[in-house]
Amino acid sequence: MTATAPAQHEFSEQQIGHTELRDTYRIDLRRSERDVFADARSLDWSSLSWRDVGRPYRVENWSSEKLEWEARHGEPLPVPEAWSMFNRSFQSLFDTNPMQARLEALKRAGQAVTKRELRAAWEALHEVVQWTVWNRAQRVEDTIWDPRAKRSLFAGLEVDKPRILFLGAADGYEAMLLSAMYPGGEVVLVDYDEWCKEGRFGAFPADYPFLGSDPRTGGERVWYRDQMNIDFVVSDIRDLPYGREFDVVVSIGLVEHFPDAYKPTAFEFHRRFVKPGGYCVMTTPRLHPRTRMFYLLFGDLMNFSYRELMDVRHLGLYAWENGFEVLRHGQIKTHNGVICRAR
């Protein structure tokens, strides 16, 4: 079990229904009357074709750090190095008070304009826009963690004290949410970037409350990560020693980083570890004008490796073609989601 600092358990069942803003995130113990998983219309995946759905959108406005590395080394940025850069860059957004950062950028913009340093002013104003958008996405609308919609997506799994495997876990958020909903089991977080163990999962706020269930009463309960049985494994997925032993295998924003030639590998990663009859839960960023704008605005901070935006038909068709039965499919705020079972 991963050791973490003792959490301050500020919230209990008396605060269910409560939400509030902290400096860098939102606490949300509201139930899922809104912001739920929107099931899409039923589809016959066996008769759907790529001619019907088109191809995913490829995001190709690259980070300057990636481009500089490639110019310096004369070769493509290796995938492990790209993920290492991405994790540190993305985590910097979570670690920063966006309103304070926005004010500091506004001051720099004003000072640069006064000095007629137009390039510096433009860069500072770009930061103002970034922090404004990030504040809305992460704190106000909670579209990154999105607990109510993800609880709705995860609802209805027929599991008891499940073993949960999270591939490409980073901060491990969704596995912790699943563990709160289906308590008493074991969570294994896997990421091959060793820094994630402390820099992302380790940096996740220990006092963040997860709304879940209480097996003793059958009612609701507030859980914290130090009450969960979590192990963080630093490994390439290909080197994991497990067999088909997990009740739930989950990935959040993983398969869209695999070009089509490697999509079967991505889906095989899920099948390899799920029990017969177990569940695979996968999400990918939605193909939507707002999402495209987000990746355009934050490309320098986020785009270090291959990335696609899909609609739910893309994700479901990939799953079907790679040997999965799609049990549920639909959308949350910024992601498509599917619940699958290996055929």
Side-chain angles (χ1 to χ4, degrees):
M1 183 172 181
T2 300
T4 58
Q8 296 297 317
H9 296 174
E10 178 181 351
F11 298 94
S12 66
E13 289 65 49
Q14 284 68 43
Q15 284 79 42
I16 292 175
H18 175 73
T19 185
E20 69 177 65
L21 291 178
R22 296 292 172 92
D23 287 346
T24 58
Y25 60 92
R26 176 182 287 277
I27 284 173
D28 195 345
L29 292 173
R30 294 174 292 179
R31 300 176 181 90
S32 298
E33 287 87 0
R34 54 173 296 182
D35 290 336
V36 298
F37 178 70
D39 286 281
R41 65 181 179 85
S42 179
L43 288 170
D44 178 3
W45 299 102
S46 65
S47 65
L48 199 65
S49 72
W50 289 106
R51 180 177 296 179
D52 298 323
V53 303
R55 306 306 301 187
Y57 171 78
R58 293 175 58 172
V59 179
E60 295 185 309
N61 57 306
W62 303 112
S63 163
S64 59
E65 189 177 358
K66 166 187 164 68
L67 298 177
E68 289 166 4
W69 190 100
E70 292 177 342
R72 191 164 60 250
H73 293 83
E75 61 180 347
L77 179 64
V79 172
E81 186 74 19
W83 276 107
S84 177
M85 290 178 178
F86 165 77
N87 279 314
R88 287 158 176 76
S89 181
F90 195 35
Q91 184 62 35
S92 71
L93 295 173
F94 291 96
D95 292 339
T96 303
N97 180 326
M99 296 306 293
Q100 180 179 334
R102 180 177 180 273
L103 286 174
E104 292 172 356
L106 276 170
K107 290 179 183 177
R108 291 201 307 275
Q111 292 167 353
V113 168
T114 301
K115 298 176 182 179
R116 297 184 179 181
E117 298 173 349
L118 298 185
R119 181 177 179 83
W122 173 255
E123 291 174 349
L125 287 173
H126 182 72
E127 282 191 43
V128 170
V129 175
Q130 283 182 318
W131 289 119
T132 301
V133 171
W134 180 255
N135 180 66
R136 186 169 185 83
Q138 165 65 357
R139 292 178 72 245
V140 178
E141 296 183 353
D142 207 358
T143 63
I144 311 300
W145 290 340
D146 203 4
R148 288 188 287 171
K150 285 175 181 168
R151 284 198 301 269
S152 177
L153 167 62
F154 300 155
L157 304 184
E158 295 179 358
V159 292
D160 180 47
K161 298 181 180 179
R163 292 191 75 205
I164 299 166
L165 178 67
F166 191 173
L167 303 176
D171 62 15
Y173 180 84
E174 288 77 12
M176 290 185 280
L177 188 60
L178 274 163
S179 183
M181 294 177 67
Y182 304 99
E186 175 193 6
V187 172
V188 178
L189 308 178
V190 177
D191 204 295
Y192 65 18
D193 183 359
E194 184 174 5
W195 183 82
C196 284
K197 186 171 184 177
E198 298 301 329
R200 297 210 63 190
F201 174 66
F204 187 86
D207 59 350
Y208 182 92
F210 292 88
L211 178 57
S213 63
D214 189 337
R216 298 172 302 173
T217 66
E220 296 171 307
R221 176 176 165 178
V222 176
W223 292 88
Y224 292 84
R225 77 173 191 182
D226 67 347
Q227 298 170 321
M228 302 173 185
N229 182 11
I230 303 174
D231 188 23
F232 198 111
V233 176
V234 178
S235 174
D236 190 305
I237 297 171
R238 294 169 293 187
D239 299 331
L240 290 175
Y242 311 115
R244 299 188 67 183
E245 57 193 83
F246 291 90
D247 300 280
V248 183
V249 176
V250 59
S251 69
I252 305 297
L254 177 67
V255 299
E256 77 275 9
H257 293 289
F258 289 75
D260 277 2
Y262 299 98
K263 286 287 195 317
T265 300
F267 284 90
E268 178 59 26
F269 285 161
H270 298 73
R271 182 187 297 102
R272 183 185 303 177
F273 304 114
V274 69
K275 288 180 179 179
Y279 298 96
C280 292
V281 183
M282 308 174 214
T283 77
T284 60
R286 289 174 59 188
L287 177 54
H288 186 276
R290 194 165 89 167
T291 314
R292 288 180 61 173
M293 184 59 67
F294 181 86
Y295 284 105
L296 180 63
L297 180 63
F298 287 90
D300 197 48
L301 295 169
M302 299 187 67
N303 294 336
F304 293 86
S305 63
Y306 185 89
R307 184 190 299 273
E308 296 172 342
L309 303 179
M310 304 182 190
D311 70 28
V312 71
R313 297 176 304 163
H314 295 134
L315 179 56
L317 186 53
Y318 279 126
W320 172 264
E321 287 185 339
N322 286 282
F324 286 87
E325 176 189 3
V326 180
L327 304 177
R328 291 183 68 195
H329 64 285
Q331 299 171 333
I332 53 179
K333 288 176 182 174
T334 60
H335 272 221
N336 312 293
V338 294
I339 307 290
C340 297
R341 182 172 284 146
R343 295 202 304 272

